[in-house]
Amino acid sequence: MNIEEQFNKEEFANLLERAKGERSINQFANETGVSAAHISRFLRQMITSPPTPETISKFAAKAHNEVTYQDLMVAAG
């Protein structure tokens, strides 16, 4: 597996923080249907495996700051 194909926790966390925007983690969780604890673990880079495409789709659907599904998928590997 190439480095480019691996889950980039740091990049994903940065994109997710941008996607969350000014909202709290709880607000973002309520809007996306992904638990606040799960979002928090991604933001703190505690999860070593990438989120599912379904989860990424939920994030992208409610993302702020022009973060796209494609951006998140690339960071997820």
Side-chain angles (χ1 to χ4, degrees):
M1 195 183 271
N2 292 342
I3 292 289
E4 292 82 21
E5 294 172 352
Q6 293 176 347
F7 179 41
N8 185 334
K9 292 188 296 185
E10 187 177 351
E11 178 69 14
F12 192 82
N14 290 337
L15 282 168
L16 194 57
E17 185 64 46
R18 274 184 42 214
K20 182 176 75 69
E22 299 295 314
R23 295 169 288 187
S24 69
I25 290 174
N26 286 331
Q27 284 175 307
F28 193 50
N30 288 336
E31 290 182 25
T32 59
V34 178
S35 80
H38 201 54
I39 292 170
S40 177
R41 285 191 290 270
F42 278 122
L43 291 173
R44 290 180 289 148
Q45 301 175 35
M46 295 175 70
I47 298 177
T48 55
S49 56
T52 64
E54 179 186 14
T55 299
I56 291 174
S57 182
K58 290 177 181 180
F59 290 149
K62 301 295 180 180
H64 287 184
N65 300 311
E66 301 176 8
V67 174
T68 67
Y69 178 77
Q70 181 71 25
D71 296 333
L72 293 166
M73 284 296 281
V74 168

